[in-house]
Amino acid sequence: MSREQQAVARARKAFETGRSKSVEHRIRQLKNLQRLFTEKQSVISAAVKKDLNKSEVGTQLYETLGLEGELNTAINHLKEWAAPRPVEKNLLTISDTVYIKPEPLGVVLIIGAWNYPWAVTIQPLIGAIAAGHGGPAANLHRQRALPRSDWGVSETQELLRQRFDHIFYTGNSVVGKLIMEAAAKNLTPVTLELGGKSPCYIDKNCDLTIACRRVAWGKYTNCGQTCIAPDYILCEPSIQDRVIEEVKKAIKEFYTDNPKTCPDYGRIINQRHFKRIMNMLEGSTVAAGGDNEESDCYIAPTVLRDVKPEAKVMQEEIFGPLLPILSVSGLDEAIKFINKGEKPLALYCFSSDNKVINRMTDETSSGGFLANDCLVHFSVGSLPFGGVGNSGMGCYHGKYSFDQLSHLRSCLIKKLNMEGVNRMRYPPHTPKKLGWARFFILNSVDLGWVGRMALLAVMVVVAAVVLQCTAQWCYQSQYSCDDTCRDPIRWAAQFPSCGGLRQSPINIVSTKVHVNSALPPFNFIGHTNTINITVENKGHSAHFALPHSVRLTGGALPGHYRAAQFHFHWGGNGRPGSEHTIDGEQFPMELHIVHIKEPYGSLAEAEHDMAGIALLAFLFEESPDDNPHLDSVIASLGRVKNNGSSTVIPNFRLSDIIPSDKDLFSYYRYVGSMTTPGCEQAVAWTLFHRTLPISSLQLDAITQQCRFWTGQPMTDIFRPTQPLDGRVVYRSKAGAALRGVMHWWVGVSSVLLGRTGLIH
Ligand SMILES: NC(=O)C1=CN([C@@H]2O[C@H](COP(=O)(O)OP(=O)(O)OC[C@H]3O[C@@H](n4cnc5c(N)ncnc54)[C@H](O)[C@@H]3O)[C@@H](O)[C@H]2O)C=CC1
Ligand SMILES: CC(C)=CCC/C(C)=C/CC/C(C)=C/C(=O)O
């Protein structure tokens, strides 16, 4: 086994122990690394001094200071970074637990360059430890420093033959491609922090002294061997001389008249690079600097003027202290020039004019963009640092390092209930299910603070929608409606009252009814008033709303009642559709007029009272002729074909469709329920003997016009008859005395309450 294989095996074994997954362990490791920079600062600085002639202060300022900041950030935020991250949900997943769980990938190989040897290796290492990796194999390629731990090109090549879970590479683009090729063999993800030529546009509209000082600092720091150093200047010819003068002034200010002896001026890493940089001078005019000494790897801060795009120095990243100036006619040409090249790692623009800065950002692309300064974006831990295109892929710093080296695992934890909602995605697929799926999937729930505020409201909407999809009831005729709705025999599963012992409708066996002389005629109030009524398709039937002025007393009802609405139950295609049957006979249609006991304001309030709702029912019988009083009703149904649609019938009189109270003295009475969910057992039923006429043509017209909420034709809208369960059906006797009324009702109530008491 090679040294490299052993190192990788050790790292993998360490990872497989699972120790590195604990956040406490990661924080301990990061604190150990923190100690390295306090305890070994002078050793670190001395090593970098040997390599690059960086001063101790320079090493701290440009390398270790940033690392200390990164360590503090990681230690302080790790718990938060590593914690599961709840995400926005859609309506389909609102009741699930949906989150991102950051997980370590495994073993990470970090390959760094020599120019900032600590920054470019330890900074990704901080991310790797924070993300919970085992023992990352850091390859520190430094020529003179720490020789025994130095692994160079051949060791890196051997490492690349091993399998890793991520490779984080910093260096040039040519080697970057080799890294990616090696990684591809194992489909290992890569982060490539590469370089390239970072342009610097100086607009004539800016303070050139300040601009040139900042450019000079960015260029000559570390002797130009900085990945994000401004590679060359683009400016108009009119300002070139001033730019040269100002850069020269800054060089003198920073590095004295003799940079060679200045402790803050660095050296080229080796003679190979020295020769490479010196070769680039060929064909260009030196405007400042140019002095050099090969044995000392010294090249003075140098400015080149009137440089042509074809010049040698413009063919590759300089990575040394040469600053070429190229002429452009203005911003347009600068943008064109930049866009002709590869996408740079950094792009700099100096201008006092925001429009210039905005155009430069809008019309170009680069890893990072900095206006009116150089390099400092590297030190902002909250900004992702990385290239684009030829300057690299992936990014790091702060939380970005953690994320870059983590697997952001998508987790969705569902419960095994709520199966009804899932039906929209199970075959058979139908356009209706697709409609629901669109609604549930495309409506997201933002759980930000605003979202949290709105969550309650959303839950209500969702509950309503879920109910509609999972608990929506339907008539038997609709039952094929994607199997999401409940037909009458399953209403009770969702609406428990529907399984009660006082349910309606019933079959009335005429020979078993109890004739009761205490059931007097009714007293209709407002039935002859001319009113405008609103008709609405409610999805299961059409409701005709009645005003409060229509009222009802008498009929042995225990109080005064006001009308709420009337509706019809019908069949279809010649089939009968009444709800109640008499001696087993079903009638073509049935009219229900719903009344609420006073002082209740709504059905919901009335449903707690056993006689809170008074329902007057009329059966229709087929007649040879049309019933002209039904014309306006039939016409209005044609205007409310679809669920939710409504219309108005003007000048309507209830007395036109039902006989006057004088003619309605004969009726059946029993206590029961509403005939649609929730089947509230709060109804005093009155079914009149007197039937209403309707022709078969009218019946056809009624049953063929409307559609259910499911879109199907609204036919056979009746609930099958329910067991009597011991209840008594009474029949009124014409001419009954009014004084027996309360006595009758009290009698009925006590019988029912007694039964209810037995049941519970
Ligand atoms: N984007 C960024 O953050 C940074 C980018 N850079 C870029 O790096 C470049 C300068 O560094 P380099 O000269 O590349 O540094 P380098 O010569 O130190 O190479 C970088 C790493 O690649 C390894 N390597 C080199 N040749 C290899 C090969 N054939 N096979 C396998 N491994 C190999 C080296 O051992 C070293 O660890 C510049 O282009 C600079 O812009 C440098 C620092 C930071
Ligand atoms: C404000 C301040 C001290 C900023 C430091 C900017 C700087 C010189 C960063 C160096 C970045 C770096 C490590 C580049 C590289 O790898 O080439």
Side-chain angles (χ1 to χ4, degrees):
M1 232 193 203
S2 68
R3 277 193 313 162
E4 292 79 9
Q5 281 172 322
Q6 284 172 23
V8 177
R10 262 200 314 276
R12 192 161 297 284
K13 207 167 156 202
F15 178 72
E16 280 165 3
T17 64
R19 269 182 74 208
S20 61
K21 280 194 177 177
S22 123
V23 170
E24 290 68 33
H25 175 83
R26 303 183 210 179
I27 291 176
R28 265 198 310 278
Q29 297 283 82
L30 291 170
K31 287 190 172 161
N32 287 342
L33 205 48
Q34 226 173 13
R35 277 207 345 264
L36 177 79
F37 292 102
T38 44
E39 291 172 7
K40 302 285 180 195
Q41 185 64 63
S42 53
V43 181
I44 291 167
S45 300
V48 180
K49 170 94 182 152
K50 274 195 195 172
D51 269 3
L52 294 153
N53 195 40
K54 275 188 202 165
S55 67
E56 179 162 358
V57 173
T59 295
Q60 286 195 35
L61 184 63
Y62 298 131
E63 294 218 59
T64 56
L65 190 64
L67 293 175
E68 286 173 47
E70 283 279 301
L71 280 163
N72 289 340
T73 308
I75 290 166
N76 293 336
H77 293 280
L78 186 53
K79 285 202 173 121
E80 169 201 319
W81 294 347
R85 305 173 193 176
V87 294
E88 196 176 285
K89 301 192 236 183
N90 57 29
L91 292 180
L92 194 63
T93 51
I94 187 141
S95 63
D96 305 332
T97 309
V98 188
Y99 59 95
I100 296 167
K101 183 172 185 283
E103 291 185 345
L105 293 158
V107 178
V108 175
L109 171 63
I110 297 170
I111 308 169
W114 45 263
N115 59 335
Y116 291 86
W118 292 91
V120 300
T121 50
I122 303 300
Q123 196 143 337
L125 177 64
I126 294 168
I129 294 173
H133 295 287
N139 173 23
L140 307 181
H141 174 208
R142 273 156 282 144
Q143 293 203 317
R144 294 182 279 266
L146 306 175
R148 274 168 302 170
S149 64
D150 228 12
W151 281 7
V153 172
S154 62
E155 291 88 347
T156 310
Q157 284 168 339
E158 173 60 10
L159 276 172
L160 287 170
R161 282 188 274 275
Q162 314 307 312
R163 183 180 187 134
F164 291 92
D165 301 297
H166 193 102
I167 299 178
F168 193 109
Y169 168 79
T170 300
N172 68 67
S173 307
V174 176
V175 175
K177 288 173 191 167
L178 298 177
I179 304 290
M180 209 164 163
E181 205 178 308
K185 291 196 187 90
N186 291 312
L187 286 178
T188 300
V190 290
T191 304
L192 299 180
E193 297 291 339
L194 311 177
K197 291 180 90 64
S198 295
C200 176
Y201 174 67
I202 303 181
D203 188 33
K204 61 174 183 284
N205 181 10
C206 77
D207 183 329
L208 287 180
T209 307
I210 294 178
C212 293
R213 184 187 291 120
R214 293 180 188 181
V215 172
W217 176 73
K219 182 70 184 189
Y220 302 117
T221 289
N222 202 25
C223 214
Q225 302 163 112
T226 303
C227 58
I228 45 177
D231 192 87
Y232 59 91
I233 290 174
L234 295 170
C235 66
E236 291 183 29
S238 60
I239 62 166
Q240 179 174 231
D241 288 343
R242 275 222 44 219
V243 167
I244 293 168
E245 282 319 302
E246 293 297 343
V247 173
K248 274 163 77 174
K249 273 203 302 205
I251 292 171
K252 194 169 166 186
E253 188 182 320
F254 295 158
Y255 308 116
T256 74
D257 279 332
N258 187 6
K260 195 171 175 196
T261 56
C262 176
D264 289 320
Y265 190 67
R267 291 296 182 269
I268 302 303
I269 185 69
N270 56 29
Q271 268 140 6
R272 179 168 66 81
H273 278 284
F274 174 91
K275 289 198 175 87
R276 177 183 64 79
I277 296 163
M278 290 306 293
N279 269 337
M280 286 185 180
L281 284 172
E282 199 183 301
S284 291
T285 310
V286 173
D291 315 333
N292 59 87
E293 190 176 323
E294 186 171 348
S295 61
D296 191 21
C297 289
Y298 170 74
I299 300 176
T302 299
V303 183
L304 306 176
R305 62 174 305 140
D306 300 316
V307 175
K308 297 281 170 271
E310 311 75 44
K312 246 183 164 177
V313 74
M314 290 304 293
Q315 303 317 304
E316 60 176 79
E317 180 184 359
I318 299 169
F319 221 56
L322 314 183
L323 181 57
I325 302 177
L326 281 82
S327 291
V328 285
S329 56
L331 181 64
D332 285 341
E333 199 186 336
I335 290 174
K336 231 186 243 166
F337 186 86
I338 292 163
N339 287 339
K340 258 203 300 200
E342 297 284 2
K343 289 183 181 171
L345 184 59
L347 171 55
Y348 302 108
C349 176
F350 286 82
S351 177
S352 304
D353 185 349
N354 281 342
K355 284 198 206 101
V356 171
I357 293 169
N358 290 343
R359 276 201 59 201
M360 192 60 101
T361 37
D362 289 351
E363 297 176 33
T364 59
S365 171
S366 61
F369 176 81
L370 189 48
N372 296 324
D373 208 341
C374 290
L375 312 187
V376 290
H377 60 297
F378 185 93
S379 66
V380 183
S382 48
L383 280 175
F385 183 84
V388 55
N390 213 57
S391 56
M393 60 185 72
C395 62
Y396 73 136
H397 288 194
K399 181 164 182 278
Y400 296 101
S401 306
F402 178 90
D403 283 353
Q404 182 74 13
L405 295 171
S406 293
H407 167 53
L408 300 181
R409 191 178 192 185
S410 301
C411 300
L412 190 152
I413 313 298
K414 237 184 207 313
K415 295 211 170 58
L416 280 164
N417 59 6
M418 301 278 284
E419 186 62 348
V421 184
N422 295 337
R423 289 189 194 284
M424 72 181 81
R425 61 178 149 97
Y426 297 151
H429 299 305
T430 63
K432 175 158 273 305
K433 287 184 179 181
L434 179 63
W436 280 117
R438 285 187 72 79
F439 178 76
F440 274 79
I441 292 169
L442 299 183
N443 284 298
S444 60
V445 184
D446 176 7
L447 290 181
W449 73 268
V450 175
R452 271 193 296 276
M453 296 287 283
L455 185 59
L456 198 61
V458 171
M459 290 296 279
V460 170
V461 172
V462 169
V465 172
V466 167
L467 269 178
Q468 205 173 12
C469 191
T470 61
Q472 179 66 287
W473 60 271
C474 58
Y475 285 110
Q476 188 64 45
S477 55
Q478 282 173 277
Y479 181 53
S480 61
C481 77
D482 309 338
D483 294 343
T484 54
C485 73
R486 291 179 196 273
D487 61 334
I489 45 169
R490 293 185 296 163
W491 288 355
Q494 192 69 34
F495 306 96
S497 289
C498 300
L501 294 170
R502 301 199 309 272
Q503 288 295 293
S504 298
I506 55 166
N507 174 42
I508 294 173
V509 181
S510 54
T511 53
K512 290 194 175 165
V513 297
H514 291 209
V515 178
N516 193 313
S517 56
L519 289 173
F522 285 92
N523 182 19
F524 292 162
I525 304 159
H527 286 51
T528 51
N529 293 354
T530 302
I531 49 180
N532 295 337
I533 59 168
T534 302
V535 187
E536 186 183 347
N537 181 330
K538 295 279 192 186
H540 297 101
S541 63
H543 282 194
F544 298 71
L546 289 170
H548 291 185
S549 54
V550 180
R551 295 149 58 83
L552 178 69
T553 59
L557 294 173
H560 291 246
Y561 289 75
R562 60 175 182 77
Q565 45 101 342
F566 67 88
H567 58 264
F568 300 88
H569 293 270
W570 60 67
N573 272 337
R575 290 184 301 275
S578 72
E579 297 215 289
H580 289 91
T581 55
I582 311 273
D583 295 327
E585 184 191 350
Q586 190 177 17
F587 289 71
M589 192 163 86
E590 185 169 332
L591 164 65
H592 289 165
I593 309 174
V594 182
H595 298 80
I596 299 170
K597 190 176 170 186
E598 290 186 331
Y600 302 126
S602 65
L603 283 172
E605 283 176 35
E607 73 191 37
H608 303 292
D609 182 334
M610 210 165 58
I613 299 162
L615 257 152
L616 304 188
F618 293 86
L619 297 170
F620 282 81
E621 266 188 304
E622 205 172 304
S623 58
D625 300 321
D626 287 350
N627 174 350
H629 298 303
L630 291 177
D631 287 350
S632 62
V633 166
I634 294 168
S636 72
L637 291 176
R639 300 195 297 274
V640 294
K641 289 185 191 305
N642 297 312
N643 185 18
S645 55
S646 64
T647 187
V648 171
I649 308 179
N651 307 320
F652 177 85
R653 283 188 312 185
L654 197 53
S655 56
D656 286 343
I657 60 167
I658 58 170
S660 72
D661 43 15
K662 290 190 298 298
D663 297 325
L664 293 173
F665 47 82
S666 186
Y667 55 87
Y668 296 109
R669 165 65 49 77
Y670 78 99
V671 288
S673 73
M674 301 297 282
T675 61
T676 56
C679 308
E680 294 83 3
Q681 303 193 132
V683 183
W685 275 97
T686 301
L687 179 65
F688 293 101
H689 289 171
R690 171 89 178 258
T691 55
L692 307 179
I694 184 166
S695 71
S696 62
L697 280 177
Q698 285 179 313
L699 268 171
D700 284 347
I702 286 181
T703 58
Q704 285 171 8
Q705 301 199 78
C706 295
R707 297 191 162 269
F708 284 122
W709 60 276
T710 45
Q712 298 146 297
M714 191 184 277
T715 57
D716 304 295
I717 52 170
F718 59 89
R719 186 189 191 189
T721 53
Q722 302 297 301
L724 204 52
D725 277 319
R727 281 174 291 172
V728 175
V729 179
Y730 297 89
R731 185 163 68 81
S732 65
K733 194 175 168 200
L738 210 71
R739 61 191 138 74
V741 167
M742 282 317 288
H743 165 74
W744 178 86
W745 184 255
V746 170
V748 169
S749 315
S750 56
V751 167
L752 287 164
L753 289 172
R755 284 187 51 78
T756 312
L758 278 176
I759 295 155
H760 294 284

